Amino acid sequence: MKNLLSPMLLLACIALFSCSKNKKDETMISTISKEVFGEAPDGQSVDLYTLTNANGMTVNITNYGGIITKLTAPDKNGGWTDVVLGFDSLAPYLKDSPFFGALVGRYGNRIAKGKFTLNGKEYTLPVNNGPNSLHGGIKGFDKVVWKATEIKSDSAVGLQLDYVSKDMEEGYPGTLTVKVTYTLDNDNALSINYQATTDKPTVVNLTNHSYFNLSGLKRDILDHEVTILSDSIVPVDSTLIPTGKLRAVDGTPFDFRKPTKINAGINKTEDEQIKNGGGYDHCWVIKRTQPGMMHFATVKDPESGRVLEAFTTEPAVQFYSGNFLDGSLQGKGATYAKRFGLCLETEHYPDSPNHPAFPSTTLNPGDTYNTTTKYRFSVK
């Protein structure tokens, strides 16, 4: 009986292990799903896509404005919590959203007085931010419905968004054909690739405007520790338009070359740039040590242990500390008070079309605009 039982027990153990293994494998598969999110002002149906990687990290993206409505990240206790500001439904995005999670274009950031000259011709844009044009104008890329295509591979899941911006839409010349691809991989990284072509010379500066809060939307971001690999910023006037010169970060509240808490210098209003920005709302010039994709910033929340590492092919990043949030907006159980979120908007410099010395944002026919930014989440 002893000799008979042993093989039977062995077979039972093998079956149990196999069953357990199969169940585990089933949970370790990246998925993408879709649901109706609402209706755009023009009557188009809007969808919400949920991307989930093999670890259980989820990112929600709507084809209205390419908005990231939710992104979960791990903490030191093994939990997954939403770490981006936003809303649970479409209506608040349509009414009064400060670009929460939005895909921004044609031109991210500001263009002075809504005017620029290209090849000797002056173009006039809608003015929507004091005397300036901001983030593409009245109806930028954050306020249109994109064509969505689901993407899936063995190691990642993604969403491709396509949009054709007509010639002179919001004052910009050229018919711009745009493709933006969000990819969530099993390294807990969300990559965003931006591509565009045009039939006439134009200017392009695409970015994403997610507001991150690594506390899990529990408190403001002032205790977050930030590192930015940059020796200089693009100083601005009182309307947040570049002066045209660069400013070294040495000895200023803008020096984040070593991990520094945001609250260490954000209220030093004796610094003219802190005063002009109402805190941090400036473009940092990335100190490049290699071409192509490069790590340029790290954000840590000491209490939760969450870490955000950012990589980009772009020359600069707009670090914004949520200075204009005022508590009037609420979403996902949180009140979005002043400095409740931070942005790392990878980009070319603000107002570049009006500053020939800045890296060019001109796109010509036959060329392809192609940039990528990646946000990777971990725990320390």
Side-chain angles (χ1 to χ4, degrees):
M1 194 66 183
K2 179 179 179 182
N3 292 334
L4 183 62
L5 262 176
S6 295
M8 291 176 62
L9 286 173
L10 180 59
L11 287 172
C13 288
I14 291 173
L16 184 61
F17 173 80
S18 177
C19 182
S20 175
K21 183 176 183 295
N22 289 338
K23 287 182 178 180
K24 181 180 180 181
D25 288 344
E26 288 175 3
T27 65
M28 299 293 284
I29 298 175
S30 298
T31 61
I32 181 169
S33 62
K34 180 179 77 170
E35 61 185 287
V36 175
F37 197 48
E39 188 176 282
D42 63 1
Q44 292 188 75
S45 179
V46 175
D47 295 318
L48 183 69
Y49 294 81
T50 301
L51 284 61
T52 305
N53 73 3
N55 305 315
M57 177 177 175
T58 61
V59 179
N60 286 9
I61 304 167
T62 172
N63 63 328
Y64 178 82
I67 296 169
I68 298 171
T69 66
K70 179 181 180 181
L71 186 156
T72 65
D75 63 22
K76 62 185 179 183
N77 297 317
W80 293 84
T81 306
D82 192 3
V83 295
V84 294
L85 277 58
F87 305 109
D88 287 321
S89 63
L90 179 63
Y93 289 107
L94 302 178
K95 183 180 179 182
D96 191 24
S97 172
F99 301 97
F100 284 155
L103 195 171
V104 174
R106 282 189 194 191
Y107 199 96
N109 220 312
R110 294 170 177 84
I111 293 182
K113 299 179 181 178
K115 295 181 182 296
F116 69 92
T117 299
L118 181 62
N119 296 337
K121 183 177 179 179
E122 184 178 81
Y123 294 92
T124 300
L125 313 172
V127 170
N128 63 334
N129 183 249
N132 307 313
S133 181
L134 174 67
H135 293 334
I138 304 298
K139 188 179 180 181
F141 289 177
D142 61 297
K143 296 180 179 66
V144 300
V145 178
W146 295 63
K147 177 185 175 183
T149 304
E150 299 178 13
I151 301 172
K152 191 173 181 182
S153 70
D154 292 339
S155 59
V157 64
L159 184 70
Q160 177 182 311
L161 298 178
D162 292 274
Y163 178 69
V164 177
S165 176
K166 296 180 180 179
D167 183 28
M168 299 309 297
E169 182 174 293
E170 292 297 300
Y172 291 92
T175 297
L176 192 75
T177 302
V178 189
K179 178 174 72 174
V180 178
T181 305
Y182 295 84
T183 305
L184 176 63
D185 65 30
N186 291 334
D187 196 30
N188 293 341
L190 176 68
S191 298
I192 310 174
N193 175 253
Y194 308 86
Q195 296 184 34
T197 57
T198 182
D199 63 354
K200 294 180 183 178
T202 190
V203 295
V204 185
N205 193 28
L206 307 181
T207 191
N208 180 270
H209 209 294
S210 287
Y211 289 68
F212 298 104
N213 184 321
L214 299 186
S215 75
L217 312 186
K218 293 180 179 179
R219 54 189 177 279
D220 62 38
I221 46 87
L222 293 176
D223 280 335
H224 283 34
E225 295 178 354
V226 175
T227 306
I228 303 176
L229 303 182
S230 171
D231 293 332
S232 58
I233 64 165
V234 180
V236 294
D237 63 20
S238 60
T239 69
L240 300 178
I241 290 296
T243 63
K245 300 179 180 180
L246 301 185
R247 175 188 175 184
V249 301
D250 287 306
T252 77
F254 295 85
D255 191 350
F256 285 93
R257 290 174 294 183
K258 295 180 180 179
T260 303
K261 287 192 175 184
I262 294 174
N263 63 8
I266 196 170
N267 293 315
K268 293 184 177 180
T269 52
E270 64 273 16
D271 185 294
E272 183 183 42
Q273 288 303 305
I274 290 290
K275 183 177 180 181
N276 286 350
Y280 297 118
D281 194 1
H282 297 75
C283 179
W284 270 254
V285 178
I286 295 170
K287 183 179 181 180
R288 287 213 154 264
T289 58
Q290 64 186 61
M293 183 74 83
M294 193 192 86
H295 171 248
F296 71 90
T298 301
V299 182
K300 299 178 182 178
D301 175 43
E303 186 167 330
S304 69
R306 292 189 183 94
V307 178
L308 163 59
E309 296 172 283
F311 307 76
T312 194
T313 60
E314 287 278 31
V317 59
Q318 186 85 4
F319 171 41
Y320 172 53
S321 52
N323 311 314
F324 295 109
L325 299 175
D326 60 7
S328 61
L329 297 176
Q330 295 182 329
K332 300 189 283 190
T335 297
Y336 299 139
K338 186 174 183 178
R339 296 169 180 164
F340 200 76
L342 66 89
C343 302
L344 294 172
E345 305 160 60
T346 53
E347 60 178 14
H348 276 53
Y349 306 175
D351 200 33
S352 288
N354 293 313
H355 296 274
F358 287 0
S360 176
T361 55
T362 299
L363 179 66
N364 291 307
D367 295 335
T368 299
Y369 175 95
N370 190 349
T371 73
T372 303
T373 293
K374 178 168 69 174
Y375 302 104
R376 184 171 66 196
F377 297 86
S378 59
V379 178
K380 185 175 182 179

